[in-house]
Amino acid sequence: MQAAIALLILWASAGAAEPLPPSPGLVAGVRRVEPPAFARWPALVDPDEPVAAVLAIALPLTQAAPEASVSWHWPGEPAVAVPLAGAGAQLQAMVRVPKAAGQHTLRVQLGEAAYDLPLRMVPASEPWPHAALRAGCPVDAAGAPVLLVTPRATAMQDRRWAWLRPRPRRPEGRPLLVGDPLAAWGRTAWEGLAAEQRALAPERSITAATLVALAQLPTPLPRTIVWSPGNAPLADGDWDPSESRLMLALSARLRALQAAPRLVLALPPWPLSEAARALAEQRRRTLAAVARSSGWRIIDLARAAGPPESAQRVGERAYAPYPVGAAQDRMRALLAGALADDD
């Protein structure tokens, strides 16, 4: 026993001669700084309108000097510099996107480090490089942001000169349904329909997801393509009018492929919320106007389903996200008619 105590005293005396490491709470932390990156960008752009993307830059916890700044520029353009004083841990800035289509690189200078951020602007008539979504925005296979440059609606000019151009033939491939399948109560409005179905999650970014879904068109090309935008873009009490440009983009791509499938816009049923219904009316008008001006046919699922208070009701004060039962059957029948081969 005495030997054990002596050994313990000897060990304690030897250890006391070595300084203890500092407490982790007294050591300044070093945060891992992510490289600058584009955080958000529009999926569909008009070449005649100014467009901006959101640039996110993570900053070190400690600035080297009060006058330190971060700057960025496109090749051949003057740099934009922003002071870092008071910027906090992250800086977000709007960056004007070039108007010309092509491969672009934004040079970001953060202290001594320089970063090159790629960005692709692709004419809608050319092959679409969309491979996936990042934060709800489309990227190519290398992860670079992709902006699709859409033409303006020129239906009047197209009709005026159509007789001078050979008319593209309607393809013979299987019809294609793409977008929101309007799922409710364990079923969808697409159930049992004779078409290839590319069903997308009903999220706010469903239009960008549709671009990814249509980047690889079936072979042979579909005889009919039906786009179902659904109501998810209204979920946050707002909507993006540029989503209607998807119809212009797809029309331009098919013209470049010398194909003329029947293109159908399936206007969604009315949302249950009264607050969302006014926004839905504005959105439906915009979508329908662009559809008419670009040669798309329109089917109105809201008219087929009827009032949402009855179409979505599943019980006492209980409602599904989309129409159910007989209302869902009527929407399905309308979609089946749009997919039919008779002209």
Side-chain angles (χ1 to χ4, degrees):
M1 183 67 178
Q2 291 179 346
I5 294 175
L7 183 62
L8 181 60
I9 294 173
L10 180 63
W11 174 83
S13 300
E18 299 180 5
L20 294 174
S23 167
L26 301 177
V27 178
V30 178
R31 187 169 64 94
R32 180 174 179 267
V33 179
E34 295 293 332
F38 289 111
R40 294 189 302 279
W41 55 94
L44 298 152
V45 299
D46 187 318
D48 298 327
E49 295 179 0
V51 179
V54 177
L55 176 65
I57 303 175
L59 305 175
L61 287 176
T62 304
Q63 309 300 335
E67 65 274 11
S69 66
V70 59
S71 65
W72 57 82
H73 71 279
W74 300 105
E77 296 187 3
V80 176
V82 175
L84 296 183
Q90 189 175 64
L91 172 70
Q92 288 199 348
M94 301 295 290
V95 176
R96 183 186 57 79
V97 171
K99 286 188 175 182
Q103 181 79 43
H104 301 280
T105 302
L106 184 72
R107 169 60 66 95
V108 179
Q109 193 75 35
L110 179 57
E112 298 297 324
Y115 304 88
D116 288 332
L117 309 185
L119 180 143
R120 295 181 68 175
M121 297 186 68
V122 181
S125 58
E126 296 182 1
W128 298 1
H130 303 64
L133 295 182
R134 189 175 80 211
C137 301
V139 297
D140 64 11
V146 178
L147 285 68
L148 205 58
V149 183
T150 61
R152 287 190 175 274
T154 56
M156 184 176 296
Q157 290 89 332
D158 288 345
R159 286 192 296 268
R160 182 179 299 169
W161 302 106
W163 63 279
L164 290 175
R165 297 190 299 267
R167 184 176 181 181
R169 296 184 59 184
R170 187 177 179 192
E172 296 298 329
R174 191 182 185 204
L176 172 64
L177 277 166
V178 62
D180 190 339
L182 312 175
W185 214 239
R187 302 186 64 188
T188 77
W190 296 4
E191 191 174 297
L193 294 180
E196 177 181 342
Q197 300 184 10
R198 297 186 179 181
L200 305 174
E203 298 176 350
R204 187 170 175 82
S205 59
I206 190 170
T207 302
T210 303
L211 296 176
V212 176
L214 291 175
Q216 298 296 325
L217 290 168
T219 303
L221 290 171
R223 183 172 176 80
T224 300
I225 300 177
V226 178
W227 177 40
S228 172
N231 284 327
L234 300 172
D236 293 337
D238 196 5
W239 62 285
D240 182 5
S242 71
E243 67 177 349
S244 62
R245 294 174 181 162
L246 182 145
M247 292 178 283
L248 301 174
L250 183 57
S251 296
R253 179 66 189 132
L254 292 168
R255 280 196 301 271
L257 294 172
Q258 299 182 350
R262 176 190 296 162
L263 299 175
V264 181
L265 167 66
L267 288 175
W270 291 111
L272 182 64
S273 166
E274 285 284 354
R277 219 164 297 180
L279 287 173
E281 176 61 32
Q282 298 172 14
R283 180 172 178 250
R284 285 163 55 89
R285 282 200 302 265
T286 299
L287 289 171
V290 175
R292 294 189 188 98
S293 66
S294 54
W296 284 57
R297 301 188 184 188
I298 300 172
I299 58 174
D300 192 346
L301 299 180
R303 182 175 298 179
E309 293 80 4
S310 55
Q312 296 176 219
R313 190 172 186 272
V314 294
E316 186 65 29
R317 298 183 181 178
Y319 299 90
Y322 281 122
V324 297
Q328 188 184 71
D329 292 339
R330 292 192 296 272
M331 293 195 304
R332 189 178 298 110
L334 188 58
L335 288 164
L339 294 168
D341 285 339
D342 52 318
D343 290 317

